Each structure stands twice: as structure tokens, then as C-alpha cells.
Amino acid sequence: MYLMNTYARADVGFKFGRGATLFDERGRDYIDFAAGIGVNALGYANKKIISAVTKQAQNLLHTSNIYHIKPQEKLAKEISKQLGYKTYAFFCNSGAEANECAIKLARKYGARNFKEKKYEIISLGSSFHGRTLATLQATGQDKFHPEIFAPYMDGFKFFDTIEEATKNISDKTVGVMIELVQGEGGIKAFEKEAVKKLAKTLKERKLLLITDEVQCGVYRTGEFVTSKIYGIKPDVITFAKALGGGVGIGACVSRKDVFEPGDHGSTFGGNFLATASGLATLKELKRLKKEGKLDEISAKFNEHLDELVKKFPKIFVKKQGIGMMLGLVLQEGVDLAKIIRLALKNRVLVLRSGTKTLRFLPPLNISKKEMKEGFGRLAKALGEYEI
Ligand SMILES: *Cc1c(COP(=O)(O)O)cnc(C)c1O
């Protein structure tokens, strides 16, 4: 192997995919309840994405951001349209970069709008915001701040609950960054009233609410953004994972246009290929939502999961999460890694979240047939676990 030792890889690799099914080198099929990690919202080989990407590749893959890029401008407009209010977008290539942009934007806002500079970002315990040095520090879990990578950046604080985060806003605080449903932290959805109160407090003090919708955005929880479900309009929203329909892209979207030329940039951010794919993805997801398909599929998937919890009470405590961002909390002592291994052996892909939650992020357009097959395989794997 000539690769760095950064991932504990499962012993399988895939050659192609159709719908919510992946095929390995030997042609064996796997039902995918993970979609990358919530990336492939329209599954594999989606016709709309193939068409947008091939058409774009025949014309242009890249020009610098020192020139206009049509599909980038269209995607920014589409995001604002689907949000339902005016926003300004900065495009980058990943979730961590989108959050870096949000942090820089908040710092500039904090330096320009108050007598005394505000710069501190408050985040939540069990959160995950990325792997760069700044976003690691924004990630509210001590295990992400080992001494080997120190020194870290100043200007970040985290608290375990929304109430505590709200209470601990200080003179230095410029904003609060939060995943409304924590993806890596156990598929934990925060309570609506607490979030609304936080949003109100921040607004009164002219501070920024930043929602990291890298995992929970782009129809994952049923609406274009999870903040809509919470009834809030964040100052800044970050996107990545599903936004490009499988092509790498990130976006930091803000209600205020804070930057000027020279403040921020990215060579590849918002390139023709990624934004053409993103535009096709958002339009197709919007169409499926309008036709009621996304809600119908989500209801069916949730039914299957509820049945699974009922059928295996020794393994599962309960289901949690919203829409198609779901977790099954395990009973004390149940071996999460072993369940994922057994699922893989039975050719169904699932994920972990935290240390005791089995995570599901299936393609949002998964067919009923694939669901039925996948849950059949998963039940078989869980049966093998119980023996
Ligand atoms: C995955 C994820 C990130 C980091 O995204 P990358 O594209 O891996 O940099 C940040 N925030 C959340 C909530 C995520 O799920």
C-alpha cells in the first residue's frame, strides 16, 4: 500500500453502483444505507447527474474564480431560492472548508461591528465540524484535541447543552456554531424550543447563529435545510456532503455579505463540474420533494426501522433522528463494530455514530424493493449477532 494510514478500511471495494445498490469487484451486490457518509443523496448513476456532469465535462472543467463561472452563480441563486430568503454563497470543496469560511466570516463581522472586537465561537459538546486545525478546535469533543497536534487555535469554547451555550455567551462571543442534528455525535436532534431561544438571544445581541448543515442539510431531514424544520433563519449555513450529488463541493451561505476581495478564496471552490452537478442535484431533489416522493420514502424507511427495534429489543433501545438521518441506540454492552461487520458480511452497508449508535443515511430516493432487501439482510445479520 502506498496510502497513508488514516482510515480503518473494511475489506471491500466497489466497482459501480445503480440506485441504492453498490457492486464489488466480483459483481456481488450491497444495499447501501450509508450513501458514502450521506453524500449520494440521489444514489448511484442518477441520470440527471450523469447528464449534467458529462455535458459540463465536454465544455469546461475549470477556470479561475477571477472570472465569472455561470453554474456557480446559478447554484448560489438556487440555494437562496430553496431557502426562501436572500443569501450570499462562497463555494469551497469540503465541509471543513465551509466551516473555516464561516469562522473567518464571523471573526470579520466581530471585528467590524462592535466597539471591542468579538471573536469567540461557541460550539456544542459531541459536535463535529471538520478535520482542519480550526474546525478541530470548533469540534466540541476532547478526543479530537490530542496533545500531539497542539498548539491549537484560541477563540473556541464548547458547552454540553444549548441552555449552557446560551447562558455562557460572553463579551467576546461573536457566534454559536451548531449541528441541529449531530451526525457524528450519536444522531442527536436538539430540542426545538432551546434552539429557538438561542436564536432569539443571538439576534437580540446582534451575534451570529451558524448552523453546520454539512450532514443534516440538503433534504436529509425532509426539508432543504434542517433549520426550516426548527423554524429559524440562521445567519450562516454551511453545506457539503450531499450538495454535489457525489462530486466534492462545500458552501458557506450567509445572509450578510461580509467579505471583500482578498479576504478569502479557493482555487477549486465552485468549479464548473462541481456546481453543475450541485445544480442538477438540488433541482432533482426539489422535484422529488414537491411530488411527495421524499416524504413517502422517508416514512417507509422509518417504518422498517421501527419494526427492527421492536424485533431486536436485546440489541436496540430506540430510534432517534429526523427524516432520513436516523440512528438506533444500542443497549449497554452491545458491540457496534461487530454489528457493522455482520451487516457487511450480509451485504448491507450501515455506519456508526459515536460509540453506541447505529447510523442510517440512505440515498433519499432508495426504492421500496431495495429497502425491503436491505432490511431483510440486516435482520439476518442481527439474528447472527444474537446467537
Ligand atoms: C462531515 C462533516 C464535516 C466535515 O466535512 P468534510 O467534507 O469531511 O471536511 C463537518 N461538519 C459536519 C456536521 C459533518 O458531518
Side-chain angles (χ1 to χ4, degrees), residues 37 93-97 99 128-132 179 181-184 212-216 238 240-241 249 359:
I37 297 181
N93 313 285
S94 67
E97 277 176 89
N99 288 332
F128 180 77
H129 297 297
R131 295 283 191 167
T132 61
E179 295 164 86
V181 185
Q182 293 189 327
E184 307 303 310
D212 176 345
E213 302 222 20
V214 168
Q215 192 164 152
C216 68
T238 57
K241 292 196 165 81
I249 189 170
R359 174 170 44 162

Side-chain angles (χ1 to χ4, degrees), residues 41-272:
L42 288 167
Y44 303 98
N46 178 274
K47 288 208 167 62
K48 297 271 167 58
I49 296 179
I50 291 174
S51 159
V53 166
T54 48
K55 235 161 90 188
Q56 189 55 58
Q58 279 159 359
N59 289 328
L60 253 183
L61 291 175
H62 173 90
T63 68
S64 166
N65 273 305
I66 60 176
Y67 310 110
H68 287 283
I69 298 173
K70 228 347 166 324
Q72 180 184 133
E73 290 165 9
K74 282 188 179 165
L75 181 57
K77 187 173 173 190
E78 185 66 24
I79 289 172
S80 174
K81 223 169 89 186
Q82 296 207 15
L83 283 170
Y85 49 89
K86 177 73 196 260
T87 52
Y88 303 88
F90 174 84
F91 290 103
C92 48
N93 313 285
S94 67
E97 277 176 89
N99 288 332
E100 288 272 348
C101 176
I103 293 163
K104 279 179 75 177
L105 185 151
R107 285 194 174 183
K108 180 162 184 192
Y109 175 82
R112 283 291 165 83
N113 289 283
F114 304 94
K115 260 202 216 98
E116 246 175 79
K117 182 181 160 82
K118 296 183 192 291
Y119 59 86
E120 187 185 85
I121 307 268
I122 291 178
S123 62
L124 274 292
S126 310
S127 61
F128 180 77
H129 297 297
R131 295 283 191 167
T132 61
L133 280 165
T135 57
L136 270 182
Q137 195 55 17
T139 292
Q141 303 183 57
D142 281 327
K143 71 166 191 208
F144 280 93
H145 317 136
E147 195 46 39
I148 38 165
F149 299 127
Y152 292 94
M153 289 180 77
D154 280 340
F156 296 90
K157 275 215 176 111
F158 63 87
F159 298 96
D160 280 334
T161 64
I162 302 256
E163 288 82 357
E164 274 179 81
T166 311
K167 217 167 54 200
N168 281 286
I169 291 170
S170 78
D171 286 347
K172 298 200 170 61
T173 307
V174 67
V176 175
M177 181 182 268
I178 172 180
E179 295 164 86
L180 294 167
V181 185
Q182 293 189 327
E184 307 303 310
I187 309 295
K188 203 172 78 190
F190 285 108
E191 214 227 312
K192 217 180 206 168
E193 284 318 304
V195 170
K196 279 192 155 164
K197 199 160 157 242
L198 168 67
K200 189 163 165 267
T201 305
L202 289 169
K203 195 170 177 194
E204 280 165 6
R205 298 174 69 162
K206 296 194 163 53
L207 306 177
L208 304 179
L209 175 62
I210 304 164
T211 59
D212 176 345
E213 302 222 20
V214 168
Q215 192 164 152
C216 68
V218 191
Y219 295 97
R220 175 54 55 189
T221 56
E223 295 290 343
F224 173 50
V225 285
T226 304
S227 37
K228 180 163 181 201
I229 295 171
Y230 277 75
I232 53 168
K233 285 182 186 167
D235 301 288
V236 180
I237 304 179
T238 57
F239 297 95
K241 292 196 165 81
L243 184 61
V247 182
I249 189 170
C252 175
V253 172
S254 170
R255 301 180 70 185
K256 299 181 178 75
D257 188 11
V258 173
F259 290 137
E260 325 159 62
D263 281 340
H264 198 48
S266 164
T267 297
F268 289 116
N271 67 73
F272 280 90

